[in-house]
Each structure stands twice: as structure tokens, then as C-alpha cells.
Amino acid sequence: NKQKVLFVDTVGFLDRLPHNLIEAFKATLEEVVEADILIHLVDVSHPKANEQSDAVYKVLEEIEAKDKPVITVLNKVDKIENPNLITRALGYFHNAITISALKKEGFGPLIERISSHVDLLMARVKLKLPSSDAKTLALIYENGLVTRKEYIDGDVYIEAEVPKRIKALLEKSA
């Protein structure tokens, strides 16, 4: 849907690290707290995938990010020979998407899921701005999708789809 998204990779395998090291990694997880959506990538071929996932959710709870929308992605399905194991994993990881990054399979459903979450973060705005307000116009163009723009009597009438946080900024400055 032509929206910009930023992906940030954080550390995994937190269940085996010493407690003081986990505390240090929590500082790097500030991005998680600020994120709109989390993608939880699980190596489904790992024998302790469930335990590793549980450790991730424990950390999310500790950093007060457990209520964020999470898209669970089960990677390395190409390494699993028994299809019953994938079925069992899908039972444990509710509403998960299966992919093989190595074979580049399953990315269509993942992109669709990300897009649908991003759509929920968008809002429609209709604004009348002085045509000299280049800063606001740039903000809208950089972060949104302009659907209509019209110049009338020195003003710009603009309609756009923007992230809800940008809409809040625009309303605050109006």
C-alpha cells in the first residue's frame, strides 16, 4: 500500500543469557517499546522453539510491551520433513505464518499481514493549509499518501492517508 515501514532486528535467545546480560540487552529493546507492530520470528526447526518463544514473551512483559500487536512468523519450515510437526507448531503458535527465508517461500501472506496491520494505523485527513507551509506539506508527503490536492486562493486543500501519530501531530499544530 506504498507505506513506509521500518524493520529493526533485536536480539533473540534471551533464555540462556546471564541475568546481567539480559538487563544490558533490554536497553537495546527500547525499539520494541516504541514499535507499532512486532514481528516475532521463530526458528520452528529448533527443538526448543516453544521455550524460546515463551522467553521472548516473558521479556515483552518485563519491558511492558506485551500488549503490542504481534505477527508470529515460523521460519525454516523447509527443514521440517514431517508435516505433522508444522501442524503441531501452528497449534502452539496461534495465527502464525509459515515461511522459508532460505527458499523465499511464504512471503506473500507475511506482506499481506503486515499491510493489514499498517492499514489499521492509518487515518484520513482533510486540511486547509497556507501554500507557504512547506514543512507540513513535506510531513504529509513523506509519511502519507496524498489522495487529493487543490490550490485555492493561496491555500492548499489536501486529503491524505497518514499514520495516526502524524494525524495527531497535525491536529495538535492546527
Side-chain angles (χ1 to χ4, degrees):
N1 60 7
K2 301 197 189 279
Q3 287 301 308
K4 293 180 184 179
V5 294
L6 172 66
F7 291 92
V8 178
D9 187 15
T10 60
V11 179
F13 305 105
L14 296 172
D15 61 331
R16 297 269 187 223
L17 294 174
H19 192 269
N20 61 338
L21 200 50
I22 289 175
E23 292 302 317
F25 278 121
K26 282 183 187 173
T28 69
L29 296 176
E30 289 176 7
E31 297 293 334
V32 172
V33 175
E34 297 298 320
D36 294 315
I37 304 165
L38 305 177
I39 298 176
H40 180 197
L41 187 66
V42 178
D43 176 355
V44 73
S45 71
H46 193 283
K48 296 194 177 202
N50 297 2
E51 290 90 344
Q52 289 175 346
S53 175
D54 293 343
V56 167
Y57 282 101
K58 182 178 176 190
V59 171
L60 289 177
E61 187 170 345
E62 289 175 12
I63 64 173
E64 297 180 1
K66 69 177 179 126
D67 295 327
K68 297 223 173 250
V70 177
I71 299 171
T72 302
V73 181
L74 305 180
N75 188 27
K76 299 188 182 180
V77 293
D78 56 291
K79 293 178 89 175
I80 298 177
E81 294 178 15
N82 182 349
N84 291 332
L85 294 177
I86 294 173
T87 302
R88 203 172 317 154
L90 287 169
Y92 187 82
F93 298 100
H94 304 289
N95 206 19
I97 296 170
T98 58
I99 68 165
S100 168
L102 179 68
K103 294 187 176 184
K104 296 177 176 48
E105 296 173 348
F107 285 93
L110 175 57
I111 291 168
E112 287 174 22
R113 182 83 55 90
I114 293 169
S115 293
S116 69
H117 277 278
V118 169
D119 286 345
L120 295 173
L121 299 170
M122 302 300 287
R124 186 154 197 66
V125 294
K126 293 180 181 183
L127 300 168
K128 174 185 171 186
L129 303 168
S131 56
S132 61
D133 190 355
K135 183 178 178 181
T136 302
L137 287 170
L139 180 69
I140 293 168
Y141 272 97
E142 284 178 26
N143 295 282
L145 177 64
V146 174
T147 55
R148 182 173 177 233
K149 180 174 74 170
E150 194 174 340
Y151 293 94
I152 301 174
D153 297 328
D155 291 326
V156 179
Y157 292 87
I158 195 160
E159 293 181 20
E161 291 283 329
V162 296
K164 289 180 181 175
R165 61 184 164 70
I166 299 296
K167 181 181 181 186
L169 284 174
L170 294 169
E171 289 172 346
K172 193 177 191 181
S173 65

